[in-house]
Amino acid sequence: MSSTSQEQNLLFKEKTLVGVPLQKVDSILKVTGKALYTKDVRLPDMLHAKIKRCPYPHARILSIDTSKAEQIPGVRAIVTGKDFPVQQNEDTPAVAFSEALYANQAVVAVAADQRRTSELALEMIFVEYEPLPWVTDPEIAMTPGKTPTKIVHPSETWYEDPNVGRHIKIRKGDASASFKECDRVIEEKYTTGMVSHFQLEPVTFVAQPDPDGGVSVWATSSGPHKTQYELSRYLGMDADKIRAKVPFLGGWFGSKEECHVAAICAKLALKADRPVKLELSREETLTATGQRHPSVITVKDGINKGGKIVARQIRAIFNGGAYSSLGNNVVINAVLGAVSVYDIPNFHMDCYRVYTNEQPGTPMRGPIGFQIAWAIECQMERIANELGMDPVEFRLKNVLKEGSENAIGELMESISHDKVLEQVTSAMKLNGQGKSSIPQDSTQENKWVRGRGVALSAKWAPGGSPHQAMVRVKESGKVEVWVDVVENGQGIYTGITQIVASEFGIPSTDILLMPLVFGSDSSMSGLSGGASASRQLVNLGNAVLEASSNAKKLMAERASKKLGVPSHDLDVREGRVFSKTDFRRSLKISELFLRAPIVGYRTVASFTEGVEFVGYGTFYFRQGKLDPETGMTIGGRISPFYMSTAQIAEVSVNVETGQVRVEKIVAAADVGVAINPDLAKGQIVGSVCMAMGAATSEELVFKDGKIINANLADYEIPSIFDVPLVIPILVENPLQNGPFGAKSAGEPSMFPTAPAIRNAIHDALGIWVNDLPITSERVLEALQKLREN
Amino acid sequence: MRDLELNMVFDPSEVLRPSSFQDAVETLDSSDSKIVAGNTSLYSLARKGRLENIKKLVDISKLGISYIKEAESQTSEEKKILVGAGTTFQEITSSSLINGRPEYAGLKEALNKSPPQIRNVATIGGSICSAVSFYDLPIVLFALGTTLKFFSKKEGEHLITIDSFFQNPALYGKSLLIECQFSSSPNSASSFVKLCRRMSGYAVAMTAARIKLDRTSREIDDIRLVIGAMTKTPQRLNQVEEELRHKEPSIETITRMCEKSADLVHDIIPSVHASTAYKKRVLPILLREAITTAVERATER
């Protein structure tokens, strides 16, 4: 059935597109190659920029000689740290000023007529460095007397000596005292490596000087307003003179919060007074832009005889790299991840984000939560095993229940921890959970052993950023939607279209989503926090619903006189304004418009007297703070809601080589209400595949302070041949304040995959692997250890 | 340290399409030329800065060296297959001369490890002449005891063994590989075993075996064992071969001999995600699997 006829049938019956698996509104554009990406932007007289980067993990810049490069014909602009208003001490500067703090940090940038000329110019720029001591191990970096260097950013308000960018404390109850009274105390250390988002589209910017002295920037960014305001800070320019546009994104996953790169591009354009394109190569994207924070997390638990966790103490250290970028903010997610699943009366946590001489840690799909979920769910399995308890039963015994309070004082509402666990266990449980139930190869020579493992997590959706929307109802009954909404492949254009279409009771083809036409543009839409933190659908969805409601009110007021019905009794649906109590009293939307000649007498256009039928909406969740000493929330919640997610993985492990083959993953996620079930399932499957890569094969490896595998051959992301059977299960527990009850699906399913795989490996072979990625070598080492013991 | 971006500088100014072997090798005389066949590794070499001096690309697609056929003079004991150096992986893997024949089963396994994007363009000659240890196909060709037909300005057409080639691939930089020849005989079979981190990834370690069983005694009459991705160039395990030759291929004997192999290879190099120690540990396992598989296949004939 075609999408349109499918829609018509459903509209006829339900008058809503919520829950309809519509084809993505942008799919035709993408498969025909018509969708515009930043890389496609070509402007007249456009220059091409390249960046010269520091070869040392830490070095003082003694001199930069650009004189020879300046003489090369075609070189139009060169920028160094001195070109930016705030230079020294800036956290995450556009270009290094006096010191470069990580290998491949930008030191000089050139814009020239041809890309090749820019490359040649880089060769003719001479930078003199004094190599300085460097540190990449966060545990050493944060230890007084041990760290060889201090990476100080005085502008960071949370700085603690030495090299701690942020330290968050949670103190609920008395964990230390409780341990003494517990029957069992189990302490383990877990680590994760540096992982890349590896989005298909590398970081790219195009900047064009505007006639008013401002600048327009096309950006691979998660939100035009983010880029606009960040650029304002970097350039020292009034934000109103900066126009940021985000066309389609070729994947994001948190990777493109690189406004310091946008600043280089914009500065070059302003200096050359010509448009400039700056495209980072794959190597630059891997070595010089932010990646997922590596982590070292120690979890200590005290458990009583019945299997209840009485006390938990977590020390989580995140390698933040040389700068904060967004890192010192998002590290709070460690807390949200740690408190969102289990009900533990005595809970202590110390979470550190530590500066080192690596590229800055940045948000990545479920930022920080991925690492915390890894540690906690590995630990949960460990405890269940030591207690001899069923891992699902043990988790259920300890989960937070609906209406209970988490360790930072938030009320847990609309959670489905029990439900997602039940769903995955019943989907996977053919003969009971665990190795004994899995058919094993009966041949003696078979070296592949199967196992199953479970993990449970929850994702938050931090508020903090306002989201605004505007809708305009046309004479035809079609509805224009003006929002800063960023389509990175997740399907948000379709989601927003379905929400507005449902609100007006019209087909999706009657929704004119303007970012689909122009891209998302800071000068054409209200403020938005963009595509991040599992909040775009909820926040923008609520904003467009409010905007739609306000546009309807204006129409009702106008129609009220004509129909002789009070405006509060009127609603607008299916192209008509009608009385809610007497459907016969209605008029077409077109009857609210006047028509007048616009070109001679032949061409007429419609208009409204007085205000247009334009509605505005703003959704703003005012976020509270954590008390610096206790970690309890002050002034409101941190996360307005949480989303439960659980998975069971089935793996085969080769006992001789340590190879792990992920065979199957059942993944359940509470999405509230699935606006588009196919897209929601797609998000679950995509998350699982991405997390599986981080679990089994992906890691950026450092040697002498530099990454040595910044290419597709050595940084191994799973291909389609490696992807297991993934069975997504949507659990629908409507969110009271969500648009039509929707929550989110983009990030939560990232969390349980890695621990579920690891727990399945334990089920298969009885070994514990506490470090990510789970390489064959690590599996074999663990097996060796097991055999020796 | 050289700038990453500068390493990408690659600026060929000419693409030459010689129509004869003679013309082709003339172009190889200058140090600024490079042969292009399937064009699967040129870009990665350029990005690594290894083609900075290259100005001329020599496209050999017009030389008529894409074919796979049986040699005209065949004995009943030995069948020889001739594969033009420009033949793609896909052409080889879909050939009836290769399919279903245990002696070439290893070849098929290696070819099928490549994704279609590679299989459709990569050539057998390119995979050999790249002379890297981590390409799958040359490991099997090495195990098959392939003979390579080169054309050089000095010697014209001439044959060398693949063993000689891998002893010093640099010697053949000015020559053009035009054909690979490998033979099969009754009671022989080959196998290929690769350990990789993902299905289409480069090997962490790999082995190939070709085994000929004695028709009457069923002992190992001849054996060739090759390892790849462990040492700088593919390496033959002569000592292990020697130990197994004329032995009954029981699992115990094979396992015992394979266990010695790790101590016989001294120059194992680590890769990004696998240490030397790990490679040493898995070498006997891969080798055992390759040998037992080849023996099974030869026995079934």
Side-chain angles (χ1 to χ4, degrees), chain B residues 30-46:
Chain B
S30 60
S31 59
D32 62 350
S33 58
K34 176 95 185 159
I35 289 179
V36 183
N39 200 9
T40 55
S41 52
L42 195 75
Y43 188 61
S44 62
L45 288 173

Side-chain angles (χ1 to χ4, degrees), chain A residues 146-159:
Chain A
K146 269 193 174 180
T147 181
T149 186
K150 283 189 187 179
I151 305 152
V152 184
H153 303 298
S155 63
E156 282 299 304
T157 47
W158 295 305
Y159 187 83

Side-chain angles (χ1 to χ4, degrees), chain A residues 207-482:
Chain A
Q208 174 180 253
D210 286 334
D212 64 350
V215 63
S216 289
V217 176
W218 285 260
T220 51
S221 138
S222 67
H225 286 99
K226 286 181 183 174
T227 306
Q228 177 194 12
Y229 284 93
E230 281 278 272
L231 276 180
S232 166
R233 196 171 57 78
Y234 275 111
L235 301 174
M237 183 184 275
D238 182 355
D240 293 340
K241 285 194 163 185
I242 295 168
R243 292 95 198 176
K245 304 158 198 289
V246 180
F248 284 103
L249 281 185
W252 176 66
F253 313 119
S255 63
K256 290 167 178 167
E257 305 288 10
E258 303 291 343
C259 289
H260 60 286
V261 186
I264 297 172
C265 187
K267 179 55 83 177
L268 284 166
L270 290 165
K271 205 167 174 182
D273 198 21
R274 281 174 59 176
V276 172
K277 181 184 263 187
L278 173 54
E279 294 176 82
L280 299 195
S281 67
R282 178 61 66 188
E283 284 83 350
E284 285 178 299
T285 302
L286 286 171
T287 62
T289 69
Q291 313 295 346
R292 178 183 280 149
H293 294 71
S295 66
V296 181
I297 301 168
T298 307
V299 186
K300 183 177 178 183
D301 286 313
I303 312 106
N304 70 16
K305 271 183 188 149
K308 181 84 185 91
I309 303 172
V310 179
R312 171 166 284 173
Q313 192 172 302
I314 299 178
R315 179 178 162 85
I317 298 164
F318 296 92
N319 183 344
Y323 296 103
S324 167
S325 189
L326 286 174
N328 287 344
N329 287 294
V330 298
V331 80
I332 194 174
N333 291 351
V335 172
L336 301 177
V339 303
S340 59
V341 184
Y342 299 108
D343 188 9
I344 301 168
N346 300 287
F347 184 91
H348 281 202
M349 182 171 188
D350 286 276
C351 168
Y352 302 88
R353 186 178 184 276
V354 181
Y355 290 121
T356 65
N357 294 107
E358 291 184 359
Q359 71 230 69
T362 198
M364 178 175 169
R365 202 173 190 179
I368 302 292
F370 176 89
Q371 297 91 315
I372 282 288
W374 163 250
I376 290 177
E377 285 307 291
C378 288
Q379 176 81 355
M380 292 302 287
E381 193 73 11
R382 185 79 190 230
I383 302 170
N385 184 265
E386 297 220 358
L387 298 181
M389 282 183 76
D390 175 86
V392 173
E393 193 188 312
F394 172 64
R395 282 173 173 83
L396 285 171
K397 198 174 191 84
N398 286 284
V399 287
L400 283 158
K401 302 279 190 279
E402 180 77 16
S404 54
E405 200 177 81
N406 68 13
I408 56 172
E410 290 177 328
L411 202 61
M412 298 304 281
E413 295 171 307
S414 187
I415 54 169
S416 312
H417 296 353
D418 308 25
K419 190 101 182 269
V420 289
L421 263 180
E422 281 163 21
Q423 291 281 323
V424 288
T425 46
S426 65
M428 190 66 113
K429 197 159 74 177
L430 300 172
N431 307 300
Q433 202 262 325
K435 185 170 65 171
S436 56
S437 66
I438 312 168
Q440 302 283 337
D441 195 315
S442 56
T443 59
Q444 266 200 329
E445 293 78 24
N446 184 52
K447 306 302 176 199
W448 292 89
V449 181
R450 288 206 175 200
R452 281 179 186 160
V454 67
L456 169 71
S457 308
K459 171 74 177 68
W460 51 95
S465 302
H467 288 69
Q468 296 183 301
M470 183 187 99
V471 303
R472 174 188 281 123
V473 182
K474 311 289 282 187
E475 184 204 18
S476 60
K478 291 187 167 71
V479 179
E480 280 180 5
V481 182
W482 295 82

Side-chain angles (χ1 to χ4, degrees), chain A residues 50-53 55 104 115-116 119 123 281-284 287 656-657 659 696-699 701 706 709 712-714 716-717 719 721-722 775-777 780 784, chain B residues 1-6 8-11 47-48 115-117 194-202 204 272-278 281-282 285-286 288-289:
Chain A
K50 298 302 287 180
I51 295 172
K52 193 172 185 75
R53 301 183 176 281
N104 282 321
R115 183 175 154 156
R116 193 60 52 80
E119 286 168 351
E123 208 166 2
S281 67
R282 178 61 66 188
E283 284 83 350
E284 285 178 299
T287 62
E656 290 189 327
T657 61
Q659 285 168 285
T696 57
S697 67
E698 295 180 41
E699 186 178 22
V701 179
K706 296 174 202 169
N709 61 332
L712 269 163
D714 295 322
E716 299 188 273
I717 56 171
S719 76
F721 303 113
D722 304 292
T775 60
S776 309
E777 187 160 0
L780 216 51
Q784 182 75 22
Chain B
M1 189 192 98
R2 288 193 59 79
D3 187 286
L4 266 177
E5 289 302 306
L6 290 180
M8 288 170 59
V9 173
F10 173 48
D11 190 17
R47 287 181 83 86
K48 284 175 185 163
Q117 295 92 328
K194 176 179 177 181
L195 192 153
C196 49
R197 288 158 53 77
R198 54 183 183 143
M199 295 288 274
S200 55
Y202 286 125
V204 168
V272 174
H273 298 289
S275 67
T276 300
Y278 177 72
R281 284 196 63 184
V282 296
I285 295 153
L286 303 188
R288 187 198 64 214
E289 197 178 328

